[in-house]
Amino acid sequence: ELARGGGAARAKVDHGQASVEDVTGGAAIEASYGAIRLDRVGGTAELTVRHGSVEGRGLAQGARVRAAGGDVTLDGFSGPADVELERGNARLTPRAKLSAPLSVDVRHGEAELALPDGSGAAVQAESNRGEVRADVPGLGAADPRGRGHRLTGQVGGGGIAVTLRADGDVRISPRPASA
């Protein structure tokens, strides 16, 4: 466990949990057979986990996540998010309106985005075997394509690229923006 550190954090953990909090720089964490937990990271988070989950809160410069065998939850983040997940569900809740691209690709699981009000986004959402549901004004209904569904549209005049793909359901819901 790395806590309250200045600068950046780097760790590799096998068969255990990696926790980082209150670092001013970025975090580069690799883990297997355990979880990665991050709280209040000032730089970019580069995370890789096999057979485990990722939970990130307050990531100031976004995250790049490669995970398998567990859920990925990013809450209150800013900056770009790039998530590739196999066998799990991804839930993303940006802190404020989007300021950088967001990409989520989930194989054998679901993807969920709570889109902050005021975000200008060009959205592409696709489900191979589930449903695509968007309760955000400006996004049209999903277009059935065989067994899966697809949705494309713009919110707030477009702008930031948002791509969500999953084998299971894809959900986009509105969320009041924070300061």
Side-chain angles (χ1 to χ4, degrees):
E1 182 171 320
L2 304 171
R4 289 174 179 66
R10 181 179 285 296
K12 183 172 182 178
V13 178
D14 290 322
H15 298 279
Q17 177 175 308
S19 295
V20 175
E21 65 179 44
D22 294 327
V23 294
T24 57
I29 311 293
E30 289 184 47
S32 60
Y33 297 97
I36 296 175
R37 296 200 194 311
L38 301 175
D39 283 303
R40 298 172 305 278
V41 174
T44 302
E46 299 277 343
L47 311 171
T48 303
V49 63
R50 290 180 317 279
H51 308 291
S53 62
V54 172
E55 186 176 322
R57 290 181 174 20
L59 308 179
Q61 298 297 317
R64 181 177 181 271
V65 179
R66 302 297 177 257
D71 292 343
V72 172
T73 302
L74 300 180
D75 187 22
F77 68 92
S78 299
D82 181 11
V83 176
E84 290 183 10
L85 173 60
E86 189 166 338
R87 296 180 321 276
N89 298 321
R91 290 177 193 83
L92 282 75
T93 306
R95 183 183 66 81
K97 69 181 184 176
L98 295 180
S99 62
L102 188 146
S103 175
V104 178
D105 187 359
V106 180
R107 291 174 303 282
H108 307 292
E110 300 181 352
E112 183 176 343
L113 170 64
L115 186 66
D117 291 344
S119 294
V123 177
Q124 294 186 2
E126 184 175 353
S127 170
N128 292 328
R129 291 185 281 281
E131 294 182 352
V132 175
R133 185 177 333 130
D135 300 322
V136 177
L139 289 178
D143 176 29
R145 274 187 334 123
R147 292 186 340 181
H149 292 87
R150 180 181 169 103
L151 175 146
T152 58
Q154 293 189 356
V155 175
I160 305 295
V162 173
T163 305
L164 304 169
R165 291 186 185 96
D167 286 339
D169 292 344
V170 174
R171 289 183 300 281
I172 305 170
S173 60
R175 179 181 164 283
S178 301

